[in-house]
């Protein structure tokens, strides 16, 4: 049997649709459809996940004949789950997609980008000569540096996020209610801390003296504002990352279905639909 036949047989034994398998190993349903249509082949890490899921060896999956395998011997392994007191594998949501790490990194990059733009603006004001003979060169230089640095942070992050969205258009919600509540609580604390920073920043000119050349009143004020903004953006995005349903809705609206992925539905997928 070919890999395609073995995979279809293992799915049928577990009454598992292509979408179910895709969610368990962290790929799109279209990818599984392409494998079974022999239009593409899974990467090694995905093959290993399939072997762990169905409890078979890599050699049997790729080159063996699993047609005679009994349903009882093809129960999914405990990867992504936990064994109960009687040895029954219970499904426990697990982030097999690397979603959480990706969203955390995305939140950090966006927050840092916002901070450097505001800090560049403040540095430009701080080192710009005030008076009748205003020289805008320092402002242009520092603000441009802030914008350029922000773009360096955001551009690769956005491309990486788009690629992740395309590869994983739908994922299971693996966050527990406690984790979601913790994120909401952290967001509230971050907003409160940001308000304190904003108030402190607005009082910086009084502490340093009013925007004199080469004093650091403006830089200190906008530094507080930049930090406050970064904290709020990071906290909001960290809270939003736990809304997996929102991610799925967004991906459904932006991901274009691959036309050839729907050409090879299996009997199991037809029944499941």
């Amino acid at each position: 049997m070919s890999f395609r036949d073995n995979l279809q047989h293992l799915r049928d034994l577990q009454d598992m649709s292509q979408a179910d398998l895709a969610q368990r190993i962290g790929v799109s349903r279209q990818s599984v459809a392409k494998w079974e249509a022999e239009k593409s082949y899974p990467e090694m890490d995905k093959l290993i996940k399939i072997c762990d899921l169905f409890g078979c060896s890599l050699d049997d999956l790729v080159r063996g004949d699993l047609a005679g395998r009994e349903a009882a011997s093809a129960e999914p392994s405990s990867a992504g789950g936990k064994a109960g007191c009687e040895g029954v594998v219970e499904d426990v949501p697990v982030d097999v997609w690397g979603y959480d790490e990706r969203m955390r990194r995305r939140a950090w990059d966006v927050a840092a980008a916002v901070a450097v733009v505001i800090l560049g603006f403040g540095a430009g004001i701080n080192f710009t000569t005030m008076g009748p003979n205003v020289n805008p060169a320092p402002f242009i230089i520092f603000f441009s540096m802030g914008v350029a640095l922000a773009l360096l942070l955001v551009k690769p992050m956005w491309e990486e996020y788009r690629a992740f969205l395309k590869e994983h258009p739908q994922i299971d919600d693996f966050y527990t209610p406690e984790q979601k509540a913790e994120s909401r609580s952290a967001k509230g604390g971050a907003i409160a801390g940001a308000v304190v920073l904003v108030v402190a920043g607005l009082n910086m000119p009084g502490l340093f003296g009013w925007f004199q050349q080469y004093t650091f009143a403006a830089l200190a004020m906008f530094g507080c504002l930049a930090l406050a903004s970064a904290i709020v953006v990071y906290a909001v995005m960290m809270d939003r990352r736990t809304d997996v349903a929102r991610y799925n809705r967004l991906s459904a609206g932006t991901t274009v279905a691959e036309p050839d992925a729907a050409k090879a539905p299996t009997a199991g997928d037809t029944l499941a639909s």
Side-chain angles (χ1 to χ4, degrees):
M1 295 178 69
S2 65
F3 165 73
R4 173 188 66 179
D5 296 328
N6 284 329
L7 184 60
Q8 289 176 341
H9 178 69
L10 292 173
R11 285 201 302 104
D12 290 341
L13 286 179
Q14 298 301 319
D15 192 23
M16 185 183 297
S17 68
Q18 289 180 341
D20 293 334
L21 175 61
Q23 289 180 348
R24 285 175 177 265
I25 63 176
V27 298
S28 66
R29 191 200 68 81
Q30 289 87 348
S31 295
V32 177
K34 282 188 173 184
W35 299 342
E36 295 188 355
E38 295 188 328
K39 294 181 180 296
S40 66
Y41 200 75
E43 298 176 353
M44 180 58 68
D45 62 322
K46 301 300 186 297
L47 287 171
I48 293 174
K49 287 182 180 180
I50 294 172
C51 291
D52 291 340
L53 179 64
F54 292 111
C56 63
S57 69
L58 183 60
D59 187 63
D60 286 341
L61 177 64
V62 176
R63 298 189 299 178
D65 185 355
L66 299 176
R69 192 173 191 184
E70 297 293 336
S73 65
E75 292 183 359
S77 70
S78 59
K82 64 179 180 180
C85 59
E86 297 181 358
V88 178
V89 176
E90 301 174 356
D91 287 334
V92 176
V94 175
D95 181 15
V96 297
W97 308 270
Y99 169 88
D100 187 77
E101 179 184 357
R102 183 88 53 178
M103 295 301 110
R104 288 177 181 272
R105 191 161 62 244
R106 177 171 176 256
W108 166 255
D109 288 342
V110 173
V114 170
V116 296
V117 169
I118 296 175
L119 195 59
F121 183 87
I125 290 180
N126 194 94
F127 295 105
T128 297
T129 303
M130 299 297 177
N133 298 319
V134 176
N135 179 15
F139 177 82
I140 294 174
I141 292 172
F142 281 103
F143 186 59
S144 299
M145 289 174 59
V147 173
L149 184 56
L151 290 175
L152 288 176
L153 289 169
V154 170
K155 188 176 184 297
M157 176 276 299
W158 176 247
E159 293 175 350
E160 187 176 319
Y161 176 71
R162 292 282 295 180
F164 182 84
L165 194 69
K166 183 177 180 181
E167 184 179 359
H168 308 287
Q170 297 290 312
I171 65 174
D172 289 334
D173 189 352
F174 57 90
Y175 290 106
T176 64
E178 292 77 14
Q179 289 174 320
K180 294 181 179 181
E182 183 180 350
S183 293
R184 288 193 296 270
S185 177
K187 181 177 70 172
I191 292 174
V195 170
V196 173
L197 281 171
V198 170
V199 173
L202 295 177
N203 285 280
M204 286 299 171
L207 296 175
F208 283 85
W210 293 102
F211 298 108
Q212 300 295 322
Q213 184 180 11
Y214 301 122
T215 64
F216 296 96
L219 189 60
M221 182 179 76
F222 282 97
C224 289
L225 297 179
L227 182 58
S229 300
I231 289 174
V232 171
V233 169
Y234 182 78
V236 169
M237 293 188 69
M238 286 293 287
D239 179 47
R240 186 169 289 179
R241 91 189 192 283
T242 62
D243 188 359
V244 178
R246 179 180 180 275
Y247 170 88
N248 290 335
R249 289 195 303 270
L250 289 175
S251 65
T254 58
T255 304
V256 178
E258 300 179 39
D260 56 351
K263 293 181 181 179
T266 64
D269 288 319
T270 304
L271 292 175
S273 61

